């Protein structure tokens, strides 16, 4: 009997350390449970995971698409496990309890707990420090989501919104008419915007006709696509042209679609949570480390040239920055000319650097 206990004492730790990968069955179960709970209103676990995936750059081109099908992106799945472990204060028993609350199959909980605890055992302090920083700005769960819409669903939603808006405008004394108490006159309240602002379906589009179907012929125009030097680079299509929600779609053959945002504020749910108008500090946080930029007032000025191995490296994100505060020549001269600068350069903090334009590329 004594030998048996000695053998168990030797084998169990070895088994714990041996859990270095997850089986397909375990991955499928975890992926399905996350997707199911992401659809529940106010689910704190998946809300936390989704927001951390977005901020870390692990959310992919669209956080909803990623969260609804983690098994297709094992890097994102690993990150989701890491953030669930972080949510659980890097406490194995609390982590197990949270997995149970997500209704995973009982025989899959131990492998996930062991795998995750082993994988991040040397990162506990960093994870807890990051959680403290994260919670200082986190507003709460983003849940109750539906699976990403298809092209036809976007078209139907936008058409229904257009029909509803037309009906309200044409109805005398409709519900969006209120009485201004100060002037005793009728005031028309703006109708709720029910259009679909998801970006993900636009990466599925293959023909201009599909854009017209989705957004309406009056909301899509063709124009010349130009690069930063002003040279023509083929044809592109603008959705909601000349508005804050203007979005350029360029079909780039085998290289996939390119979506470019250069107006703000915008209602589009952009990939990685990055939008035109966002500050440099947010971009550094999403990338997870400083990166390199072309200096301003020169060829391709303000364009990010290297993500330096950060979360956005290799993700097809092209960003051009601009400085809003250029009034101090001595300060601005430090970041202009024919040179490469780093995003953590002290002078940039005083120049109010924001994203001027951001393009996302997705392979077909």
């Amino acid at each position: 009997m004594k030998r048996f206990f000695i053998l168990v004492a030797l084998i169990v730790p070895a088994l714990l350390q041996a859990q270095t990968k997850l089986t397909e069955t375990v991955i499928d179960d975890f992926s399905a449970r996350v997707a199911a709970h992401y659809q529940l209103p106010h689910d704190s676990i998946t809300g936390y995971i989704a927001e951390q995936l977005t901020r870390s750059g692990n959310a992919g081109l669209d956080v909803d698409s990623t969260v609804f099908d983690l098994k297709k992106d094992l890097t994102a799945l690993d990150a989701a496990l890491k953030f669930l472990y972080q949510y659980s204060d890097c406490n194995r028993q609390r982590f197990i309890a949270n997995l149970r609350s997500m209704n995973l199959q009982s025989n899959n909980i131990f492998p996930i707990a062991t795998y995750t605890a082993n994988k991040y055992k040397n990162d506990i302090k960093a994870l807890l420090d990051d959680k403290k920083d994260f919670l200082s700005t986190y507003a709460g769960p983003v849940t109750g989501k539906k699976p990403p819409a298809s092209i036809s669903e976007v078209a139907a939603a936008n058409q229904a919104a257009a029909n509803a808006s037309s009906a309200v405008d044409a109805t005398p004394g409709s519900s969006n008419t209120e009485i201004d108490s100060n002037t005793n006159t009728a005031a028309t309240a703006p109708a709720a915007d029910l259009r679909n602002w998801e970006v993900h379906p636009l990466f599925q589009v293959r023909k201009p006709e599909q854009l017209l179907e989705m957004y309406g012929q009056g909301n899509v125009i063709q124009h010349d696509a130009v690069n930063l030097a002003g040279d023509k680079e083929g044809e592109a299509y603008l959705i909601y042209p000349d508005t804050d929600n203007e979005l350029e779609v360029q079909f780039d053959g085998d290289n996939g679609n390119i979506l470019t945002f250069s107006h703000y504020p915008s209602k589009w749910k952009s990939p990685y949570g990055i939008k035109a108008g966002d500050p440099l500090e947010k971009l550094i946080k999403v990338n997870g480390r400083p990166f390199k930029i072309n200096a301003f007032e020169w060829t391709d000025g303000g364009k990010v040239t290297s993500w330096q191995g950060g979360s956005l490296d290799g993700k097809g994100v092209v960003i051009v920055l601009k400085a809003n505060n250029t009034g101090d020549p001595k300060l601005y001269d430090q970041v202009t000319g024919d040179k490469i600068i780093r995003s953590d350069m002290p002078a940039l903090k005083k120049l109010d650097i924001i994203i001027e334009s951001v393009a996302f590329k997705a392979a077909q």
Side-chain angles (χ1 to χ4, degrees), residues 319-354:
I319 285 180
V320 178
L321 302 163
K322 76 172 184 178
N324 282 329
N325 181 16
T326 59
D328 184 343
K330 291 183 179 179
L331 188 65
Y332 193 47
D333 284 349
Q334 296 179 43
V335 297
T336 59
D338 185 14
K339 58 188 176 186
I340 301 293
I341 58 177
R342 283 175 54 92
S343 63
D344 57 353
M345 187 175 178
L348 292 176
K349 294 182 179 180
K350 300 178 181 180
L351 292 171
D352 187 17
I353 306 297
I354 66 169

Side-chain angles (χ1 to χ4, degrees), residues 200-242:
H200 178 72
L202 285 166
F203 291 111
Q204 305 171 23
V205 170
R206 296 294 176 263
K207 298 180 294 184
E209 291 77 14
Q210 291 174 305
L211 294 178
L212 300 179
E213 175 191 350
M214 294 165 75
Y215 302 101
Q217 189 164 359
N219 295 318
V220 180
I221 64 171
Q222 181 180 331
H223 83 140
D224 291 338
V226 296
N227 59 24
L228 293 179
D231 301 322
K232 181 178 177 180
E233 287 190 337
E235 296 177 343
Y237 296 84
L238 295 179
I239 302 172
Y240 302 128
D242 301 320

Side-chain angles (χ1 to χ4, degrees), residues 67 88 98 103 124 129 199 201 221 225 303 319 333 344 355 360:
V67 173
S88 309
N98 285 326
N103 306 116
I124 291 177
D129 288 345
V199 166
I221 64 171
K303 182 179 179 181
I319 285 180
D333 284 349
D344 57 353
I355 296 176
F360 302 96

Side-chain angles (χ1 to χ4, degrees), residues 85-363:
Y85 191 51
Q86 182 187 58
Y87 174 88
S88 309
D89 294 326
C90 300
N91 180 291
R92 180 184 170 86
Q93 292 308 116
R94 200 167 298 159
F95 183 61
I96 289 174
N98 285 326
L99 289 171
R100 285 175 177 155
S101 75
M102 295 175 69
N103 306 116
L104 270 82
Q105 295 182 26
S106 58
N107 58 326
N108 292 334
I109 291 175
F110 180 80
I112 289 178
T114 304
Y115 168 83
T116 307
N118 284 342
K119 189 174 183 69
Y120 299 107
K121 63 183 179 182
N122 296 323
D123 302 321
I124 291 177
K125 185 180 184 305
L127 287 173
L128 293 178
D129 288 345
D130 177 70
K131 180 180 180 180
K132 183 178 179 180
D133 179 57
F134 170 77
L135 291 178
S136 68
T137 57
Y138 179 46
V142 181
T143 52
K145 295 296 187 73
K146 296 180 180 180
S150 64
I151 291 174
S152 60
E153 288 170 335
V154 170
N158 288 341
Q159 185 59 53
N163 292 342
S165 178
S166 298
V168 169
D169 292 342
T171 303
S174 57
S175 60
N176 69 328
T177 301
E178 302 175 352
I179 300 297
D180 188 324
S181 59
N182 294 321
T183 63
N184 201 34
T185 58
T188 302
D193 190 344
L194 302 177
R195 288 173 290 179
N196 189 301
W197 294 103
E198 288 190 49
V199 166
H200 178 72
L202 285 166
F203 291 111
Q204 305 171 23
V205 170
R206 296 294 176 263
K207 298 180 294 184
E209 291 77 14
Q210 291 174 305
L211 294 178
L212 300 179
E213 175 191 350
M214 294 165 75
Y215 302 101
Q217 189 164 359
N219 295 318
V220 180
I221 64 171
Q222 181 180 331
H223 83 140
D224 291 338
V226 296
N227 59 24
L228 293 179
D231 301 322
K232 181 178 177 180
E233 287 190 337
E235 296 177 343
Y237 296 84
L238 295 179
I239 302 172
Y240 302 128
D242 301 320
T243 71
D244 288 342
N245 297 307
E246 180 177 293
L247 163 60
E248 181 185 271
V249 180
Q250 185 177 5
F251 301 108
D252 196 23
D254 293 338
N255 294 321
N257 297 350
I258 304 172
L259 309 185
T260 303
F261 300 83
S262 55
H263 290 244
Y264 51 91
S266 172
K267 294 180 179 179
W268 291 101
K269 300 175 183 177
S270 58
Y272 307 108
I274 302 170
K275 294 184 177 182
D278 280 346
L280 175 62
E281 292 77 13
K282 177 179 177 180
L283 189 57
I284 294 174
K285 186 172 181 62
V286 171
N287 189 54
R289 64 179 62 185
F291 44 85
K292 293 185 177 180
I293 311 165
N294 281 334
F296 300 100
E297 309 298 344
W298 206 260
T299 304
D300 291 345
K303 182 179 179 181
V304 176
T305 60
S306 171
W307 294 109
Q308 295 292 95
S311 297
L312 296 177
D313 205 350
K315 300 294 179 63
V317 182
V318 179
I319 285 180
V320 178
L321 302 163
K322 76 172 184 178
N324 282 329
N325 181 16
T326 59
D328 184 343
K330 291 183 179 179
L331 188 65
Y332 193 47
D333 284 349
Q334 296 179 43
V335 297
T336 59
D338 185 14
K339 58 188 176 186
I340 301 293
I341 58 177
R342 283 175 54 92
S343 63
D344 57 353
M345 187 175 178
L348 292 176
K349 294 182 179 180
K350 300 178 181 180
L351 292 171
D352 187 17
I353 306 297
I354 66 169
I355 296 176
E356 181 175 32
S357 69
V358 52
F360 302 96
K361 298 182 179 182

